[in-house]
Amino acid sequence: MADEVVLLDYWLSPYGMRLRIALALKGIDYELKEEDLTNKSPLLLQSNPVHKKVPVLIHNSKPICESAVALQYIDEVWNDKAPLFPSDPYLRSQAKFWADFVDKKISGFARKLWTTKGEELEAVKKDLFDSLKLLEQELGDKLFFGDETLGLVDLALLPFAIWFSVHEKLGSFSLEAECPKITPWLKRCFQMESVSKSVPSPDKLYDYVVQMRKSRQE
Ligand code: GS8
């Protein structure tokens, strides 16, 4: 039976972006169903009755929820190409640790950067840079967190790093000065077709934010 793969997603979802890149790296054809998160489809509510969130991967009619779980599923089912998890148990544990760090620590900054001001914002930025510095240490001199190729931690961090780049462009902070390895790493990621064809670039998101701000002022 040919695989039937459906992705319930929303184009701005950082978690959905992870799965889009993973499926592209593995060369899996899938049907992308864009959700309206203000009016969720019956299929989404049925497929993810617990959290009612995107992304949901549906493989041969079976739903897999939570991006971290779905990434592991993708890597196990389509294991002939582009491994996302290291095969060595210790290295695998470390990749899971840092992907979990991104979820617990880094993901929250995306909202905080928009919703805080003044001194509170300065503290948020400092906290973000401290966290990204830890990730820079983990990256070390490697091309990607997955070494020569994209791996779990690259996919976990990339969608949030795109937003940090947008903040940099908006003049909110200087990511390049504070965390000099993150921007070149992000550029390297975007040189890969699996990334550039799957997720909006920082420039596209920047234009989107500028447009949104303009339309709010009109
Ligand atoms: C997070 C999914 C999520 O927050 C994962 O898949 O890793 N831990 C989950 N999805 C958001 C869109 S991205 O901000 C979502 O579906 N929100 C809709 C809602 O909360 O109603």
Side-chain angles (χ1 to χ4, degrees), residues 14 18 21 71 98-99 101-103 106-107 128 131-132 135-136 139 145 151-164 182 185-186 189:
R18 294 172 170 177
I21 298 169
L71 283 179
W98 287 110
F101 175 81
V102 171
D103 273 356
I106 301 286
S107 64
L128 168 63
S131 301
L132 287 177
L135 281 159
E136 284 191 313
L139 180 62
F145 289 92
L152 176 68
V153 183
D154 297 284
L155 268 52
L157 179 63
L158 202 150
F160 296 108
I162 298 175
W163 279 111
F164 303 147
I182 297 294
W185 160 80
L186 187 63
C189 292

Side-chain angles (χ1 to χ4, degrees), residues 58-70:
I58 308 179
H59 182 207
N60 297 332
S61 308
K62 291 178 296 198
I64 302 108
C65 303
E66 288 294 312
S67 60
V69 176

Side-chain angles (χ1 to χ4, degrees), residues 41-90:
S41 73
L43 182 59
L44 173 60
L45 300 176
Q46 224 177 61
S47 309
N48 190 354
V50 176
H51 299 302
K52 304 178 180 65
K53 291 185 178 191
V54 293
V56 180
L57 180 75
I58 308 179
H59 182 207
N60 297 332
S61 308
K62 291 178 296 198
I64 302 108
C65 303
E66 288 294 312
S67 60
V69 176
L71 283 179
Q72 186 161 354
Y73 180 85
I74 291 170
D75 208 38
E76 286 174 7
V77 172
W78 293 281
N79 58 7
D80 56 328
K81 146 169 201 208
L84 303 174
F85 287 70
S87 56
D88 175 82
Y90 182 70

Side-chain angles (χ1 to χ4, degrees), residues 8-138:
L8 308 185
D9 201 357
Y10 171 60
W11 76 284
L12 281 175
S13 167
Y15 306 98
M17 290 181 202
R18 294 172 170 177
L19 302 199
R20 273 177 259 157
I21 298 169
L23 292 166
L25 282 167
K26 300 272 186 185
I28 311 300
D29 286 330
Y30 64 98
E31 184 188 350
L32 182 74
K33 289 196 176 170
E34 183 75 6
E35 282 288 329
D36 172 356
L37 294 180
T38 61
N39 180 21
K40 296 172 186 171
S41 73
L43 182 59
L44 173 60
L45 300 176
Q46 224 177 61
S47 309
N48 190 354
V50 176
H51 299 302
K52 304 178 180 65
K53 291 185 178 191
V54 293
V56 180
L57 180 75
I58 308 179
H59 182 207
N60 297 332
S61 308
K62 291 178 296 198
I64 302 108
C65 303
E66 288 294 312
S67 60
V69 176
L71 283 179
Q72 186 161 354
Y73 180 85
I74 291 170
D75 208 38
E76 286 174 7
V77 172
W78 293 281
N79 58 7
D80 56 328
K81 146 169 201 208
L84 303 174
F85 287 70
S87 56
D88 175 82
Y90 182 70
L91 294 180
R92 194 159 60 239
S93 76
Q94 296 311 290
K96 285 183 181 174
F97 172 86
W98 287 110
D100 183 62
F101 175 81
V102 171
D103 273 356
K104 292 202 172 107
K105 191 77 196 172
I106 301 286
S107 64
F109 288 112
R111 178 176 292 269
K112 282 188 206 156
L113 285 169
W114 294 116
T115 53
T116 50
K117 279 192 200 142
E119 270 180 32
E120 205 189 336
L121 176 59
E122 290 312 308
V124 168
K125 286 188 210 170
K126 184 179 176 312
D127 197 10
L128 168 63
F129 293 142
D130 287 348
S131 301
L132 287 177
K133 280 176 186 150
L134 292 172
L135 281 159
E136 284 191 313
Q137 277 173 28
E138 173 58 19

